[in-house]
Amino acid sequence: MADFKTVLPGQEHYVSDIDETGLGAVDAVRDESAPSSMWGEAWKYLRRRPVFWVSAAIIALAVVVSAFPSLFTGTDPAHCELAKSLATPESGHWFGFDRQGCDVYSRTMYGARASVTVGVLATAIAVIVGVLFGAVAGWFGGVVDTILSRITDIFFAIPFVLAAIVVMQMFKGSRTVVTVAVVLGAFGWTQIARITRGAVMSIKQNEYITSAKALGRPGFSTLVAHVLPNAAAPIIVYATVALGTFIVAEATLSFLGIGLPPDVVSWGHDIDAAQASLRTRPMVLFYPAGALALTVLSFIMMGDVVRDALDPKARKK
């Protein structure tokens, strides 16, 4: 029991019971536990977010559909019957038929292949070029930074879609998925270059980079082994969002008739063809446009939630 010990008349001091558990045991930390990395903390954040799982499920479905569309439909998307022009849905043709009598469901499934492939290839090209320009400019600085930054500014000042429209006019007879991806990637790398440059300039000031230089490690080796891995977080976030942007850009070019050739099934072509039936059969436009919007939205949501997961301030909220 607690008791009172009188020191001076009128001044009592409370003395608590002796705690049976020592402070050492309370404050003990398991030294054998490995410290959590940034990616480990990000995964703990992501797996508790429903938005991450929903967007990941939609992205996984889009990838599977684009890679294996025959698993979801046995109908040839190029097979059309004018007798079924704008016909309503029936068994085996869940979305009905377009003006040419083509199965809308089959074309929606097969249209994912071209759009997603262009998005992935264009994003890969943009990331490679952007990271190369941004990393070299941020690491070396000085004259190299000035020259590369001015080149980046020149490309950044060119409207992205307008430049793609102008350049695609040069490939009227040889428009392929690779051609469209290269053109989009050639004008879509500037933002990634700026992000990489800023991240590299910030990271190279850290003490472990200074230590690597003091130990005589080559500059390029330090850049690849230490700087770029620590600068990967903002690059991954922007690349995820940019993938959705490139998918929209491909659909825009195909919609305008200067993207993929007409014999290639894509969401952009189907949206363009459905314009004439918008008043009589609006659902012909809804399905390819809805697939495009849902796919792009999933990449945007994924980018947002990954950005929050890699931001320490966001994880504390």
Side-chain angles (χ1 to χ4, degrees):
M1 295 295 294
D3 58 350
F4 290 93
K5 180 179 180 181
T6 303
V7 178
L8 294 174
Q11 295 181 347
E12 292 80 13
H13 296 274
Y14 177 75
V15 180
S16 63
D17 294 334
I18 298 176
D19 191 357
E20 295 180 359
T21 303
L23 293 177
V26 174
D27 297 335
V29 178
R30 297 180 61 182
D31 295 332
E32 67 273 12
S33 60
S36 298
S37 64
M38 178 186 67
W39 301 105
E41 292 295 327
W43 171 242
K44 291 180 182 178
Y45 178 90
L46 289 173
R47 66 187 183 187
R48 297 194 300 267
R49 294 298 180 273
V51 174
F52 168 75
W53 293 110
V54 172
S55 58
I58 298 174
I59 291 173
L61 178 61
V63 172
V64 173
V65 170
S66 62
F68 309 102
S70 59
L71 295 178
F72 299 86
T73 177
T75 304
D76 184 1
H79 177 72
C80 305
E81 298 180 21
L82 288 176
K84 294 183 178 181
S85 176
L86 299 180
T88 56
E90 59 184 47
S91 178
H93 306 281
W94 314 112
F95 295 168
F97 299 86
D98 62 11
R99 182 170 291 275
Q100 300 297 324
C102 305
D103 181 32
V104 176
Y105 174 76
S106 176
R107 292 188 66 85
T108 302
M109 295 296 104
Y110 275 87
R113 169 177 290 177
S115 299
V116 173
T117 302
V118 169
V120 171
L121 290 178
T123 302
I125 294 171
V127 168
I128 293 173
V129 177
V131 169
L132 179 62
F133 268 72
V136 173
W139 178 254
F140 291 100
V143 178
V144 175
D145 181 25
T146 301
I147 295 175
L148 295 181
S149 295
R150 296 299 76 78
I151 295 175
T152 303
D153 292 340
I154 292 173
F155 277 86
F156 192 81
I158 302 174
F160 172 63
V161 177
L162 179 59
I165 291 174
V166 173
V167 175
M168 287 302 299
Q169 297 289 349
M170 302 168 55
F171 301 97
K172 291 184 178 180
S174 58
R175 294 172 183 169
T176 63
V177 169
V178 176
T179 303
V180 177
V182 170
V183 171
L184 293 176
F187 292 96
W189 57 269
T190 54
Q191 191 64 38
I192 296 180
R194 287 189 168 189
I195 293 174
T196 305
R197 175 180 176 272
V200 169
M201 292 182 68
S202 175
I203 292 172
K204 75 176 186 179
Q205 306 298 329
N206 293 335
E207 294 181 355
Y208 61 89
I209 302 299
T210 305
S211 300
K213 292 179 180 179
L215 292 173
R217 182 160 190 165
F220 182 78
S221 176
T222 304
L223 174 63
V224 174
H226 296 293
V227 178
L228 287 181
N230 287 281
I235 298 172
I236 292 174
V237 171
Y238 183 80
T240 305
V241 179
L243 203 157
T245 303
F246 287 126
I247 293 176
V248 172
E250 180 279 321
T252 302
L253 294 177
S254 298
F255 175 82
L256 296 174
I258 55 176
L260 296 174
D263 59 332
V264 177
V265 182
S266 71
W267 289 331
H269 283 313
D270 289 349
I271 294 173
D272 178 33
Q275 288 183 99
S277 311
L278 185 58
R279 293 190 177 185
T280 57
R281 282 277 289 142
M283 297 306 292
V284 175
L285 173 65
F286 172 80
Y287 292 118
L292 173 64
L294 189 62
T295 303
V296 174
L297 179 62
S298 64
F299 281 107
I300 293 175
M301 292 192 304
M302 177 64 74
D304 288 341
V305 72
V306 170
R307 179 197 59 199
D308 294 339
L310 296 175
D311 184 3
K313 295 181 180 179
R315 291 201 300 266
K316 294 179 180 179
K317 294 181 180 179

